[in-house]
Amino acid sequence: MSRPSGRAADQLREVKITRNYTCHAEGSVLVEFGRTKVICTASVESGVPRFLRGQNQGWLTAEYGMLPRATGDRTRREAASGKQGGRTLEIQRLIGRSLRAAVDLSALGDYTLTVDCDVIQADGGTRTAAITGAMVAVEDALAVMQQRGWLSANKPLPLKQRIAAVSVGIYQGGAVLDLDYPEDSAAETDLNVVMTDAGGFIEVQGTAEGAPFDAQQFNSMLALAEKGITELFALQHNALEG
Amino acid sequence: MSRPSGRAADQLREVKITRNYTCHAEGSVLVEFGRTKVICTASVESGVPRFLRGQNQGWLTAEYGMLPRATGDRTRREAASGKQGGRTLEIQRLIGRSLRAAVDLSALGDYTLTVDCDVIQADGGTRTAAITGAMVAVEDALAVMQQRGWLSANKPLPLKQRIAAVSVGIYQGGAVLDLDYPEDSAAETDLNVVMTDAGGFIEVQGTAEGAPFDAQQFNSMLALAEKGITELFALQHNALEG
Amino acid sequence: MSRPSGRAADQLREVKITRNYTCHAEGSVLVEFGRTKVICTASVESGVPRFLRGQNQGWLTAEYGMLPRATGDRTRREAASGKQGGRTLEIQRLIGRSLRAAVDLSALGDYTLTVDCDVIQADGGTRTAAITGAMVAVEDALAVMQQRGWLSANKPLPLKQRIAAVSVGIYQGGAVLDLDYPEDSAAETDLNVVMTDAGGFIEVQGTAEGAPFDAQQFNSMLALAEKGITELFALQHNALEG
Amino acid sequence: MSRPSGRAADQLREVKITRNYTCHAEGSVLVEFGRTKVICTASVESGVPRFLRGQNQGWLTAEYGMLPRATGDRTRREAASGKQGGRTLEIQRLIGRSLRAAVDLSALGDYTLTVDCDVIQADGGTRTAAITGAMVAVEDALAVMQQRGWLSANKPLPLKQRIAAVSVGIYQGGAVLDLDYPEDSAAETDLNVVMTDAGGFIEVQGTAEGAPFDAQQFNSMLALAEKGITELFALQHNALEG
Amino acid sequence: MSRPSGRAADQLREVKITRNYTCHAEGSVLVEFGRTKVICTASVESGVPRFLRGQNQGWLTAEYGMLPRATGDRTRREAASGKQGGRTLEIQRLIGRSLRAAVDLSALGDYTLTVDCDVIQADGGTRTAAITGAMVAVEDALAVMQQRGWLSANKPLPLKQRIAAVSVGIYQGGAVLDLDYPEDSAAETDLNVVMTDAGGFIEVQGTAEGAPFDAQQFNSMLALAEKGITELFALQHNALEG
Amino acid sequence: MSRPSGRAADQLREVKITRNYTCHAEGSVLVEFGRTKVICTASVESGVPRFLRGQNQGWLTAEYGMLPRATGDRTRREAASGKQGGRTLEIQRLIGRSLRAAVDLSALGDYTLTVDCDVIQADGGTRTAAITGAMVAVEDALAVMQQRGWLSANKPLPLKQRIAAVSVGIYQGGAVLDLDYPEDSAAETDLNVVMTDAGGFIEVQGTAEGAPFDAQQFNSMLALAEKGITELFALQHNALEG
């Protein structure tokens, strides 16, 4: 097996995390997994959705979008077509669920964090890049909340753990880490994995596009994901504290 | 650990598959997993979507819905609110992807199979019940196509394999098979598994609602799913050929 | 004139009313007029619409839907097309208006009854079957309200009267009762009639699809409708008190 | 019983039919029933809807709207709210059905007549005024088609009959003709009747808003409607040929 | 240069302003610029939009529409297509902005004026006719508010100034005033100008459809607009006080 | 008068034009006017809209969007709210009209250029920055078309002229060039100007937010715009040919 990019099977693309990428959001990160580039902002607004009112907790929600020409062929602008597609909704539900596993909503107060992940260039793995970058944007936003007095300065930030995400797959019969678009579109199986920095799984979503996969392949992919996510946690750490 | 239903950890609910449930569709099945009841119809229409024209293959697509009062509290009717929610789109994408792994689209001719899965009573596991029942409806519809001369009578039905699906999860610390609603809403982890009758995985979608899960728990859940799906294949077999 | 079904001109199809058809709704009925099958649920929610607030009365509203393959050809799912069609809105307005004539809204308290009529199999007369079945579901829901203490146990249920509905028409020159789909699609005139069990008319909606009808034909149709609805009231009575 | 307007029970409001009210449409009529004013235009376009292609017939469809301040309180503009309400759809379906009974679609050729009925001032009875006025606009449009050579000059216009419509009701216990808004909002029963100039009924739609009505009241209302519509046919005749 | 209408380059079409055109609105004007006819109503409702609550001021907003056959070819009804087009939104934003320059919102109290401009016949210049006519409708509505005691009888009406609008353009190389449709569709440049009766500009919107225009042409057009608007102010004055 | 940014009245912000900003589009530019940053892509697709078929010309259309947190407060995502707002539609109509004045559509062949302008950071003047940057993206896309043989290599690119745009306004009584957000939100008058590199005006859109402006102020603003746009043409030239 030879990867189109020449990478080793267990090799991530070059990953960059740029904080304070835009100036208005409480947290704003440009995350790059090779040619995949996603702007992740975390916005703080006071108040919570109706279904949480009076429950003494905050909320976090996520939205996902792609610029129309982030992709090889132009995609129709969802604002113009009047609705978000199924893929978009599925991805933003995944991002939101994953990040809610990181944040201690019960210690967030009467605030809502809205995470926007907007892909400006797509080359496979946009959802996992988005989760990995948004984690940093959320942490920055929590720090801003503390600086502005919206969170107590005497308590730690309301974070339960960090999370990060990567895709793995079966390409030409072998397990590979961090699929780019040429691999992704030809992969037999595609698996998105979200983990905590304590080593637990938050989300595992695998789809056989071609031949079904077996338990052994599954475990090979999980092991690769674990390796890659460990590296991503180091990159998040460098970005935030390095 | 004691399940609310009193079932053993590896015990399915009572599953029933009733063919020819309604009279118009080429395939029509009522599938029941305990109190969860889903009408699955497979409709045959000539022609394929635009993106497949001229490619000499058929297509299969799926839609999912719930009657507003299939649930404990009334859910807003999606037709009235003007759009299908993210959960609905996510489920119907899963159903369609899974069934396309069962059907040999290249041998289907210029036809589209539309699978409608409508939940008339919900008690957990509606998506996996829908997949399991829709498989039978699709097989019935293919047989009708053959009887009507839309598929050659001299060839086998264009089926690559059968598929079935079940949910598993971690409930009170232990892995359990086929979660009903009381378990589902309290489960720490929820995993939906779609397999082929040759033992391969088509879809594995796991979400930690509470504590993250580890690789060992993951493999316990997969083993339970495999056991349950084997039983579902027997039930499909009885319904179709028994 | 010979009816496709072989029925006499003044003969209803076999009508069945099954209570408690699904388990969650306060009232849940499967109504069958021959092959036409409609699930009617009545759901109780506290509160009333904005335009009624502070007026010391309850409300009843209705929604209508059809499973996509309830019909001979598959109908597009309204949730997917993003709006309810004119026929759907017209029917659900009719159902709601009719049932509001049965319920004493001023004695209902601060509650809204939402009636959902979902056609799982269509063979003509779905709106009249829906009204006839929903009447029973509403009465069951009111009884549940009383059991739960939402309505006083010392007062009668807030019902002004029972209602039922049937279609009549001119088919091959003669008036016939309870048109099935083959008759409906060939009828010259189609008339939907809703009556109270005291013999009054609530709704009369007649449309000449082909030749106009005259006053004499009109009165023949009304007489047939009266006969059929009298039988429907007996069936409702048997279902509820028999 | 005394009518708010002082009219006799069987007396129409002053009805005016102004042809060529606007300059672009093939047929354009302002119809006034007292203070109710509706602009009815009939537009001719070549081609028919998809479901009629190749069937060698034309089509007629209708749309209905109200200016936001045609009513006592401002109504939300449907274009701004993003959909037509149920009442609007119900009315335009009625107008279209009624006018299709007047036009011989099989002799119309490959053309579609679109009738737009826009209420600029509402005082009850807008749908029946619209039908009565639109009949004249349609006839004018057919004549224009003949002048332009789109219809043969050697054949009569493709009209089967004229139609007109009026509302009747039970007000303070008695049957009255042509309800204005104060009567309409207080009426016990409201009945809209569409007839042909040969005396047949096309549509009869009666709703008991309060007490149910009986067969005798029904026949009184029909008789009043017949009287009023006879007068409307004379007014149409005067407008067109007078 | 010869104008299709035979008018002089600096000549307005015949302009008519008819007050109290419909009966329900607080202000209701039919404005005609030649064959362009627009019904302008001003409706008063208590309360202000959310973003203004508690700020002790009123609000004015505008909506614009066209009857489908106001134009030479039938335009699709925006209520049916489910959204207002870009041109409609652009025009109604212009009308609202312009009229808010005329009204002293800080003296309006907790009221919202909604201006509806509905074109019943279009022949170019509908937006400028709408602004000119709506000014009169707004002034009438303010007077009604005073009569009803919603505004103090001891203070002047909350008007800062009157406004009026006209279009000018470059047609066959020369500047012309008040373009009708044949000119508008052939013009090289189209300029809409809104002015106050004190001679100031509120809006100037110029678009080169063909060749770019230069500063000199620009000033010629502004001078024509100024002349025309002065005449329009006289017509408004005559309508209101004449 | 002192500008918040300390700039001279006739001084542009620092403007940067970065070509090939993203990798997929035929033309892709990041344009920065100070802190305002817009990604402008030009995408080439074969075929033209229906209304141009068979007319032997190409087409250019534009769409505009803002990331939700491009602004100081988070703006609702238009894809989620289901429609593009009036401001968005107005801006994208302006961008498209302006760029169509630059491109010789009659020499473009059967192709459509779709220009997407997406604001990733907003600080006033997004529409004029977008036009200025998109001009460069369009020119790059035309060159790519020529390289790929979609346009003849023997003819010049189908460009009639270059265009650029800037905003000017009256701030604290004086005319200023290139308003940033603090100025824009406090300006008495805001004017957007689009010019050709031959010195002609394409669009002039001025709005008095506060006091009306007079002809002299108008001409001062136009002169400032002309100065600024001349500088922008030099920057475009440097980016493209420098």
Side-chain angles (χ1 to χ4, degrees):
Chain A
M1 177 203 66
S2 157
R3 303 183 71 169
S5 60
R7 280 185 282 150
D10 67 349
Q11 190 182 349
L12 290 175
R13 291 176 280 184
E14 187 180 10
V15 174
K16 290 189 211 160
I17 296 171
T18 307
R19 290 163 68 199
N20 303 316
Y21 185 67
T22 56
C23 67
H24 295 301
E26 283 74 25
S28 173
V29 163
L30 175 72
V31 62
E32 301 172 73
F33 276 48
R35 301 207 305 173
T36 290
K37 301 185 186 191
V38 188
I39 299 177
C40 307
T41 58
S43 298
V44 182
E45 289 165 304
S46 63
V48 291
R50 183 182 304 270
F51 70 92
L52 284 178
R53 289 203 191 134
Q55 297 191 27
N56 199 24
Q57 68 158 98
W59 187 240
L60 181 150
T61 186
E63 291 188 2
Y64 172 91
M66 284 214 299
L67 297 200
R69 197 55 195 282
T71 46
D73 292 319
R74 185 174 183 275
T75 310
R76 191 163 178 214
R77 187 179 290 267
E78 289 185 325
S81 64
K83 64 176 177 179
Q84 297 177 293
R87 180 185 170 276
T88 295
L89 291 172
E90 192 173 307
I91 292 175
Q92 69 189 21
R93 283 159 57 89
L94 172 67
I95 298 171
R97 254 191 344 254
S98 299
L99 291 168
R100 283 193 292 274
V103 174
D104 181 0
L105 298 174
S106 69
L108 188 58
D110 190 39
Y111 290 100
T112 295
L113 286 169
T114 301
V115 172
D116 288 287
C117 298
D118 285 274
V119 179
I120 62 175
Q121 190 169 281
D123 186 34
T126 62
R127 78 188 72 186
T128 46
I131 291 168
T132 303
M135 179 71 242
V136 176
V138 165
E139 201 158 330
D140 275 340
L142 294 174
V144 166
M145 290 177 74
Q146 203 176 50
Q147 289 158 22
R148 294 186 185 164
W150 301 345
L151 290 172
S152 164
N154 302 320
K155 293 186 187 166
L157 292 182
L159 278 173
K160 295 189 289 190
Q161 54 210 347
R162 280 194 191 141
I163 61 163
V166 80
S167 74
V168 285
I170 304 293
Y171 176 74
Q172 295 188 351
V176 294
L177 176 64
D178 187 21
L179 287 72
D180 55 26
Y181 182 75
E183 289 171 330
D184 192 23
S185 53
E188 290 122 56
T189 291
D190 181 27
L191 187 72
N192 292 296
V193 181
V194 187
M195 294 185 75
T196 71
D197 55 359
F201 294 100
I202 293 293
E203 292 274 344
V204 175
Q205 301 205 339
T207 297
E209 303 285 351
F213 53 93
D214 60 29
Q216 190 179 336
Q217 288 174 313
F218 203 90
N219 284 317
S220 305
M221 290 188 283
L222 285 188
L224 271 189
E226 205 161 348
K227 173 188 180 291
I229 289 177
T230 302
E231 294 174 33
L232 294 173
F233 281 123
L235 289 159
Q236 285 180 342
H237 181 88
N238 285 350
L240 282 159
E241 292 119 9
Chain B
M1 177 205 66
S2 157
R3 304 183 71 171
S5 60
R7 280 185 283 150
D10 67 348
Q11 189 181 349
L12 289 175
R13 290 177 280 183
E14 187 179 11
V15 173
K16 290 190 212 161
I17 296 172
T18 306
R19 291 164 67 199
N20 303 314
Y21 185 67
T22 56
C23 66
H24 296 300
E26 283 74 25
S28 174
V29 162
L30 174 72
V31 61
E32 301 171 74
F33 276 48
R35 301 208 305 174
T36 289
K37 302 185 185 190
V38 187
I39 299 177
C40 307
T41 59
S43 299
V44 182
E45 290 165 302
S46 62
V48 291
R50 182 180 305 269
F51 70 92
L52 284 178
R53 287 196 194 140
Q55 297 192 27
N56 200 25
Q57 68 157 98
W59 187 240
L60 182 150
T61 187
E63 291 188 3
Y64 171 92
M66 286 215 297
L67 298 200
R69 197 56 195 282
T71 45
D73 291 319
R74 187 175 181 274
T75 311
R76 191 162 178 216
R77 186 178 292 267
E78 290 185 324
S81 65
K83 65 176 177 179
Q84 297 177 293
R87 178 183 171 276
T88 294
L89 292 171
E90 192 174 307
I91 292 176
Q92 69 190 19
R93 283 160 57 89
L94 172 67
I95 298 172
R97 258 192 337 258
S98 299
L99 291 169
R100 284 193 291 275
V103 175
D104 182 359
L105 298 174
S106 69
L108 188 59
D110 190 39
Y111 290 100
T112 296
L113 285 170
T114 302
V115 172
D116 288 288
C117 298
D118 284 276
V119 179
I120 61 174
Q121 191 169 281
D123 187 34
T126 63
R127 77 188 73 186
T128 46
I131 291 169
T132 303
M135 179 70 243
V136 176
V138 165
E139 201 159 330
D140 275 340
L142 293 174
V144 166
M145 291 177 73
Q146 203 176 50
Q147 289 158 22
R148 294 185 184 164
W150 300 344
L151 291 172
S152 164
N154 302 320
K155 292 186 187 165
L157 292 182
L159 277 173
K160 295 190 289 190
Q161 55 209 347
R162 281 193 190 142
I163 61 164
V166 80
S167 74
V168 285
I170 304 294
Y171 176 74
Q172 295 189 351
V176 293
L177 175 66
D178 187 23
L179 287 72
D180 54 27
Y181 181 75
E183 288 172 331
D184 193 22
S185 53
E188 290 121 57
T189 292
D190 180 28
L191 186 72
N192 292 296
V193 180
V194 187
M195 294 186 75
T196 71
D197 54 359
F201 294 101
I202 293 293
E203 293 274 344
V204 175
Q205 301 205 340
T207 297
E209 303 284 352
F213 52 93
D214 60 29
Q216 189 179 337
Q217 288 174 312
F218 201 87
N219 284 317
S220 306
M221 289 189 283
L222 284 188
L224 270 191
E226 205 160 348
K227 172 185 181 293
I229 289 177
T230 302
E231 294 174 32
L232 294 173
F233 281 123
L235 289 159
Q236 285 180 341
H237 182 86
N238 285 350
L240 282 159
E241 292 119 8
Chain C
M1 178 205 65
S2 155
R3 303 182 72 171
S5 60
R7 281 186 282 149
D10 67 348
Q11 188 181 351
L12 289 175
R13 290 176 281 184
E14 186 179 10
V15 173
K16 290 189 210 160
I17 296 171
T18 306
R19 292 163 66 199
N20 303 314
Y21 185 67
T22 57
C23 67
H24 295 301
E26 284 73 26
S28 174
V29 163
L30 175 71
V31 62
E32 301 171 75
F33 276 46
R35 299 206 309 171
T36 290
K37 301 183 186 192
V38 188
I39 300 177
C40 307
T41 58
S43 298
V44 182
E45 289 165 304
S46 62
V48 292
R50 182 181 304 270
F51 69 93
L52 284 178
R53 289 201 192 136
Q55 297 189 28
N56 200 25
Q57 68 157 98
W59 187 240
L60 182 150
T61 186
E63 291 188 3
Y64 172 92
M66 285 214 299
L67 298 199
R69 197 55 194 282
T71 45
D73 291 319
R74 187 175 181 273
T75 311
R76 190 161 178 217
R77 186 179 291 266
E78 289 185 325
S81 64
K83 64 175 177 180
Q84 296 177 293
R87 179 184 171 277
T88 295
L89 291 172
E90 192 174 306
I91 292 176
Q92 68 189 21
R93 284 160 56 89
L94 172 66
I95 298 172
R97 259 193 337 258
S98 299
L99 291 169
R100 284 193 291 274
V103 175
D104 182 358
L105 298 173
S106 69
L108 188 60
D110 190 38
Y111 290 100
T112 295
L113 285 170
T114 302
V115 172
D116 288 288
C117 298
D118 284 275
V119 179
I120 62 175
Q121 191 169 281
D123 187 35
T126 62
R127 77 188 72 187
T128 46
I131 291 168
T132 303
M135 179 70 243
V136 176
V138 165
E139 200 158 331
D140 275 340
L142 293 174
V144 166
M145 291 177 75
Q146 203 176 49
Q147 289 158 23
R148 294 185 185 165
W150 301 345
L151 290 173
S152 164
N154 302 321
K155 292 186 186 166
L157 292 182
L159 279 173
K160 295 190 288 190
Q161 53 210 348
R162 279 193 192 142
I163 61 162
V166 80
S167 74
V168 286
I170 304 293
Y171 177 73
Q172 296 188 349
V176 293
L177 175 65
D178 186 21
L179 286 73
D180 54 27
Y181 181 74
E183 288 171 330
D184 192 23
S185 52
E188 290 122 57
T189 292
D190 181 27
L191 185 73
N192 292 295
V193 180
V194 187
M195 295 186 75
T196 71
D197 55 357
F201 293 101
I202 293 292
E203 293 275 342
V204 175
Q205 302 206 339
T207 297
E209 303 285 351
F213 52 93
D214 60 28
Q216 188 178 338
Q217 287 174 311
F218 201 88
N219 284 318
S220 306
M221 289 189 284
L222 285 188
L224 270 191
E226 205 161 348
K227 173 186 179 293
I229 289 176
T230 302
E231 295 174 31
L232 293 173
F233 282 124
L235 289 159
Q236 285 180 341
H237 182 87
N238 284 349
L240 283 159
E241 291 120 7
Chain D
M1 178 203 64
S2 156
R3 303 184 72 172
S5 59
R7 281 186 282 149
D10 67 350
Q11 189 181 350
L12 289 175
R13 290 177 281 184
E14 186 179 12
V15 173
K16 290 190 212 160
I17 295 172
T18 307
R19 290 163 68 199
N20 302 316
Y21 185 67
T22 57
C23 67
H24 296 301
E26 283 74 25
S28 174
V29 163
L30 174 72
V31 62
E32 301 171 73
F33 276 47
R35 301 206 306 172
T36 289
K37 302 185 185 190
V38 188
I39 299 177
C40 307
T41 58
S43 298
V44 182
E45 289 166 303
S46 64
V48 291
R50 182 181 304 270
F51 70 92
L52 284 178
R53 290 203 190 133
Q55 295 191 28
N56 200 24
Q57 68 158 97
W59 187 239
L60 182 150
T61 186
E63 291 187 3
Y64 171 91
M66 286 214 298
L67 298 199
R69 198 57 196 280
T71 45
D73 292 319
R74 186 176 182 273
T75 311
R76 191 165 177 211
R77 186 179 290 268
E78 289 185 324
S81 66
K83 63 175 178 181
Q84 297 176 293
R87 179 183 171 277
T88 295
L89 292 172
E90 193 174 305
I91 292 175
Q92 68 190 20
R93 283 160 57 89
L94 172 67
I95 298 171
R97 253 188 348 252
S98 299
L99 291 169
R100 283 193 293 274
V103 175
D104 181 359
L105 298 174
S106 69
L108 188 59
D110 191 38
Y111 290 101
T112 295
L113 285 170
T114 302
V115 172
D116 288 288
C117 297
D118 284 276
V119 179
I120 62 174
Q121 191 169 281
D123 187 34
T126 62
R127 78 188 72 187
T128 45
I131 290 168
T132 303
M135 179 70 242
V136 176
V138 165
E139 201 159 329
D140 275 339
L142 293 174
V144 166
M145 290 177 74
Q146 203 176 51
Q147 289 157 22
R148 295 186 185 165
W150 301 345
L151 291 172
S152 165
N154 302 320
K155 292 185 187 168
L157 292 182
L159 278 174
K160 295 190 289 189
Q161 55 210 347
R162 279 193 192 143
I163 61 164
V166 80
S167 74
V168 285
I170 304 294
Y171 177 73
Q172 296 189 349
V176 293
L177 176 65
D178 187 21
L179 287 72
D180 54 26
Y181 182 75
E183 288 171 330
D184 193 23
S185 53
E188 290 123 56
T189 292
D190 181 26
L191 186 72
N192 291 296
V193 180
V194 187
M195 294 185 75
T196 72
D197 55 358
F201 293 101
I202 293 292
E203 292 275 343
V204 175
Q205 301 205 340
T207 296
E209 302 285 351
F213 52 93
D214 60 30
Q216 190 180 335
Q217 287 174 311
F218 203 89
N219 284 317
S220 307
M221 289 188 283
L222 285 188
L224 270 190
E226 207 162 346
K227 172 186 180 293
I229 289 177
T230 302
E231 294 173 33
L232 294 173
F233 281 123
L235 289 159
Q236 285 180 342
H237 181 87
N238 284 351
L240 283 159
E241 292 118 9
Chain E
M1 178 203 65
S2 155
R3 303 183 72 171
S5 60
R7 281 185 282 149
D10 67 350
Q11 189 181 350
L12 289 175
R13 290 176 281 184
E14 185 180 11
V15 173
K16 290 189 211 161
I17 296 172
T18 306
R19 290 164 68 200
N20 303 315
Y21 184 67
T22 56
C23 66
H24 296 300
E26 283 74 25
S28 174
V29 162
L30 175 71
V31 62
E32 300 171 74
F33 276 47
R35 300 207 307 172
T36 290
K37 303 185 186 191
V38 188
I39 300 178
C40 307
T41 58
S43 299
V44 182
E45 289 165 304
S46 63
V48 292
R50 182 180 305 270
F51 70 93
L52 285 179
R53 291 203 190 134
Q55 295 191 29
N56 200 23
Q57 68 157 97
W59 187 240
L60 181 150
T61 186
E63 291 188 2
Y64 171 91
M66 285 214 298
L67 298 200
R69 197 57 195 280
T71 45
D73 291 319
R74 186 175 183 273
T75 311
R76 192 164 177 213
R77 186 179 291 268
E78 289 185 324
S81 65
K83 63 176 177 180
Q84 295 177 295
R87 178 184 172 277
T88 294
L89 291 172
E90 194 174 304
I91 292 176
Q92 69 190 20
R93 283 159 58 89
L94 172 66
I95 298 172
R97 258 192 339 257
S98 299
L99 291 169
R100 284 193 292 274
V103 175
D104 182 359
L105 298 173
S106 69
L108 188 58
D110 190 39
Y111 290 99
T112 295
L113 285 170
T114 302
V115 172
D116 289 287
C117 298
D118 285 275
V119 180
I120 61 174
Q121 191 169 281
D123 186 34
T126 62
R127 77 189 73 187
T128 45
I131 291 168
T132 303
M135 179 71 243
V136 177
V138 165
E139 201 158 329
D140 275 340
L142 293 174
V144 166
M145 290 176 74
Q146 204 176 49
Q147 289 157 22
R148 294 186 185 165
W150 302 344
L151 291 173
S152 164
N154 302 321
K155 293 185 186 167
L157 292 182
L159 278 173
K160 296 190 288 189
Q161 54 210 348
R162 280 193 191 143
I163 62 164
V166 80
S167 74
V168 286
I170 304 294
Y171 177 74
Q172 296 189 349
V176 293
L177 176 65
D178 186 22
L179 287 72
D180 55 26
Y181 182 74
E183 288 171 329
D184 192 24
S185 53
E188 290 123 57
T189 292
D190 180 26
L191 186 72
N192 292 297
V193 180
V194 187
M195 294 186 74
T196 71
D197 54 359
F201 294 100
I202 293 292
E203 294 274 343
V204 175
Q205 302 205 340
T207 297
E209 304 284 351
F213 53 93
D214 60 28
Q216 190 179 335
Q217 288 174 312
F218 203 89
N219 284 317
S220 307
M221 290 189 283
L222 285 188
L224 269 190
E226 206 162 346
K227 172 186 181 293
I229 289 176
T230 303
E231 295 173 33
L232 293 173
F233 281 123
L235 289 159
Q236 284 180 342
H237 181 87
N238 284 350
L240 283 159
E241 292 118 9
Chain F
M1 179 204 66
S2 156
R3 303 183 71 171
S5 60
R7 281 186 282 149
D10 66 350
Q11 190 181 350
L12 288 176
R13 289 176 282 184
E14 186 179 12
V15 173
K16 290 189 210 160
I17 296 172
T18 306
R19 291 164 67 200
N20 303 315
Y21 185 67
T22 57
C23 67
H24 296 300
E26 284 73 25
S28 174
V29 163
L30 175 72
V31 63
E32 301 171 74
F33 276 47
R35 300 206 308 171
T36 290
K37 302 184 185 192
V38 188
I39 300 177
C40 307
T41 59
S43 298
V44 182
E45 290 165 304
S46 62
V48 291
R50 183 180 305 271
F51 70 92
L52 285 178
R53 290 203 190 134
Q55 296 190 28
N56 200 24
Q57 69 157 98
W59 187 241
L60 182 150
T61 186
E63 292 187 2
Y64 172 92
M66 286 214 298
L67 298 200
R69 196 56 196 281
T71 44
D73 292 318
R74 186 175 181 274
T75 311
R76 191 162 178 213
R77 186 178 292 268
E78 289 185 325
S81 65
K83 63 175 178 181
Q84 297 176 293
R87 179 183 171 276
T88 294
L89 292 171
E90 191 174 305
I91 292 175
Q92 69 189 19
R93 283 159 57 90
L94 172 67
I95 298 172
R97 253 187 350 250
S98 299
L99 291 169
R100 283 193 293 274
V103 175
D104 182 359
L105 298 174
S106 69
L108 188 60
D110 190 39
Y111 290 100
T112 296
L113 285 170
T114 302
V115 172
D116 288 287
C117 298
D118 284 276
V119 179
I120 62 175
Q121 192 168 280
D123 187 34
T126 63
R127 76 188 72 187
T128 47
I131 290 168
T132 303
M135 178 70 242
V136 176
V138 164
E139 201 159 329
D140 275 341
L142 294 174
V144 167
M145 290 177 74
Q146 203 176 51
Q147 290 158 22
R148 294 186 184 163
W150 301 344
L151 291 173
S152 164
N154 302 321
K155 294 186 185 164
L157 292 182
L159 277 173
K160 295 189 289 190
Q161 55 209 349
R162 280 195 191 140
I163 62 164
V166 81
S167 74
V168 285
I170 303 293
Y171 176 74
Q172 295 189 351
V176 293
L177 176 64
D178 186 22
L179 286 73
D180 54 26
Y181 181 75
E183 288 172 330
D184 192 23
S185 52
E188 290 121 57
T189 291
D190 180 26
L191 187 72
N192 292 296
V193 180
V194 187
M195 295 187 75
T196 72
D197 55 359
F201 294 101
I202 293 292
E203 293 276 342
V204 176
Q205 302 205 338
T207 297
E209 303 284 351
F213 53 93
D214 60 29
Q216 189 179 337
Q217 288 174 311
F218 200 86
N219 284 318
S220 306
M221 288 189 284
L222 284 188
L224 269 191
E226 205 161 348
K227 173 186 180 294
I229 288 177
T230 302
E231 295 174 31
L232 293 174
F233 282 124
L235 289 159
Q236 284 180 343
H237 181 87
N238 284 350
L240 282 160
E241 292 119 7

